[in-house]
Amino acid sequence: MELALSLGDNTKKQFSFLEMNSKINNPSASSTSTSDKDLGFCMGLDVAFGGHKSLSSSSSPSVEDEKKKPVPRAKLSDGIRVSSPVDPPLQLQLHFPNWLPENSPQGGRTLSGAAMVAEEEEEEEEAVPSMSVSPPDSVTSSFQLDFGIKSYGYERRSNKRDIDDEVERSASRASNEDNDEENGSTRKKLRLSKDQSAFLEDSFKEHSTLNPKQKIALAKQLNLRPRQVEVWFQNRRARTKLKQTEVDCEYLKRCCESLTEENRRLQKEVKELRTLKTSTPFYMQLPATTLTMCPSCERVATSAAQPATSAAHNLGLSTSSLIPVKPRPAKQVS
DNA sequence: TGTTTTCTTTCAGTTACATCA
DNA sequence: GTTGATGTAACTGAAAGAAAA
């Protein structure tokens, strides 16, 4: 059995970044509305939870795809623009997002492909003010803080994750110029600020998954790396699922207890009825030819069962096998 | 048109670090 | 100051799907 989770209206397609940003700029507006209790969890059974790509429409062009093939891709996602057949191969100047140090040695690096497209899209969009929510002395994420990106020695160097890592390592090297204690052998854990977390929570309420464009835009607004936003959403989905699983387990546990109790009660009743049946004379066990109604509870029973059920009533026992009918004067019915 | 390859995205599981009692 | 528990950012490998070859 799979569990369902509803996190609001998935039909909405766009983040309301500006609105959320205004919330960020006005801290008194939100931060209490981001707890899980406000997420509007809904529980259901027999409905698939998530699933691969079930919530995502992201089949967008990747950096490598566009690097390798400047020809257009067949499908687009959520407004991601790719070059048309008449577009020349892209060879654009990379505009580093503001989560990179300004003095990055990578500045001016030239790339082509979807990353460029994405960056261009970013530039084309209205200038969304980037978020600077961390206090100056905060230990939270800002690319100016130390980045201890562990060198994991990836085998493949072609997927997007690796590219992100490469960018991060580049940034880390740049950052290390100002931070001598970083030796690259340990990974530093950066904690997001409350505002950043609240902003991400708001985003998560709208979409539990992000397409690349949304991810980049969100990262830009929060002064985070896209990879951080991606990881945050992954972990957030995992937490949501875990929490929902706990709720479902509690519900099923209660159901099980209730059914166990009901079963126990019915077993007891059957046992009592059998005891009564064996103790009644044979002539009272003849097959029913008429229906009789119990005067006390106004339920109808067959005449064969009636003596036993009446006795059961007299004993104060429940008789779930009786058929409830609308109230009538106690009399025989043919 | 069908098959294989390549790549991306997501998830489940895990690790590592920060924080708190 | 130390230690264990807890929360969570970050990482890894596998699976699934889409697009290209």
Side-chain angles (χ1 to χ4, degrees):
Chain A
M1 176 177 63
E2 293 187 326
L3 307 174
L5 171 66
S6 172
L7 287 168
D9 185 5
N10 283 335
T11 61
K12 286 184 286 187
K13 293 296 181 186
Q14 299 296 328
F15 281 110
S16 53
F17 281 131
L18 292 177
E19 294 175 15
M20 290 194 291
N21 201 56
S22 67
K23 276 201 244 177
I24 288 295
N25 292 333
N26 181 14
S28 63
S30 70
S31 61
T32 58
S33 65
T34 58
S35 63
D36 287 332
K37 64 180 170 57
D38 296 328
L39 289 180
F41 289 135
C42 299
M43 185 180 72
L45 303 178
D46 289 331
V47 180
F49 175 89
H52 282 86
K53 295 194 173 188
S54 62
L55 295 176
S56 171
S57 60
S58 56
S59 57
S60 61
S62 67
V63 173
E64 287 300 313
D65 284 342
E66 295 296 333
K67 275 184 181 175
K68 292 177 180 176
K69 289 182 66 64
V71 294
R73 299 285 292 267
K75 290 191 177 179
L76 311 179
S77 70
D78 286 345
I80 294 282
R81 185 194 60 157
V82 299
S83 56
S84 68
V86 296
D87 284 338
L90 291 167
Q91 186 71 20
L92 304 173
Q93 193 72 21
L94 175 62
H95 303 282
F96 278 92
N98 56 4
W99 42 266
L100 282 179
E102 290 183 3
N103 59 350
S104 168
Q106 299 296 318
R109 183 177 56 162
T110 299
L111 293 177
S112 63
M116 303 290 85
V117 174
E119 289 296 331
E120 285 294 292
E121 288 289 320
E122 287 301 306
E123 295 302 324
E124 287 174 8
E125 287 179 358
E126 59 183 307
V128 179
S130 65
M131 184 179 175
S132 179
V133 294
S134 302
D137 56 346
S138 170
V139 197
T140 59
S141 61
S142 165
F143 225 83
Q144 283 70 31
L145 299 177
D146 58 339
F147 272 80
I149 307 299
K150 186 176 181 179
S151 177
Y152 282 99
Y154 294 109
E155 295 299 324
R156 287 184 300 131
R157 295 298 314 152
S158 58
N159 66 20
K160 202 162 185 304
R161 186 189 290 177
D162 298 334
I163 293 169
D164 283 347
D165 292 338
E166 178 60 36
V167 174
E168 289 178 14
R169 272 189 283 272
S170 298
S172 180
R173 284 192 294 271
S175 176
N176 290 342
E177 293 176 358
D178 299 329
N179 189 351
D180 292 333
E181 70 179 9
E182 181 56 56
N183 57 15
S185 62
T186 60
R187 69 176 180 190
K188 288 287 184 180
K189 188 172 180 177
L190 304 167
R191 298 194 73 88
L192 304 178
S193 69
K194 286 183 180 179
D195 288 336
Q196 283 173 317
S197 294
F199 194 86
L200 288 166
E201 286 284 351
D202 287 342
S203 302
F204 187 81
K205 284 179 185 176
E206 296 195 24
H207 292 275
S208 61
T209 57
L210 294 174
N211 63 34
K213 186 180 179 182
Q214 291 170 329
K215 180 172 70 178
I216 292 170
L218 200 50
K220 193 171 184 177
Q221 281 189 287
L222 295 172
N223 267 336
L224 296 174
R225 288 162 285 146
R227 172 68 180 158
Q228 284 181 291
V229 174
E230 178 182 315
V231 166
W232 188 91
F233 269 75
Q234 284 178 10
N235 288 325
R236 186 65 181 78
R237 284 192 293 268
R239 286 196 294 271
T240 298
K241 188 173 185 179
L242 179 64
K243 190 167 290 185
Q244 187 59 40
T245 300
E246 290 173 355
V247 170
D248 292 339
C249 284
E250 276 301 310
Y251 173 77
L252 292 173
K253 189 178 172 183
R254 286 197 299 272
C255 285
C256 182
E257 289 171 352
S258 174
L259 288 171
T260 301
E261 177 59 30
E262 174 74 2
N263 184 50
R264 192 180 298 121
R265 188 183 65 78
L266 290 172
Q267 294 277 6
K268 180 183 175 184
E269 187 174 331
V270 165
K271 185 178 177 182
E272 290 169 344
L273 289 173
R274 281 179 178 162
T275 302
L276 287 171
K277 186 177 181 180
T278 55
S279 65
T280 54
F282 175 74
Y283 65 83
M284 296 185 71
Q285 300 177 24
L286 293 174
T289 55
T290 59
L291 294 175
T292 58
M293 179 174 286
C294 172
S296 61
C297 69
E298 297 181 336
R299 292 187 178 197
V300 170
T302 61
S303 60
Q306 189 263 340
T309 54
S310 295
H313 281 298
N314 293 337
L315 292 170
L317 302 175
S318 64
T319 54
S320 62
S321 59
L322 299 177
I323 307 165
V325 297
K326 61 183 180 182
R328 259 191 240 171
K331 62 179 180 182
Q332 286 208 332
V333 252
S334 59

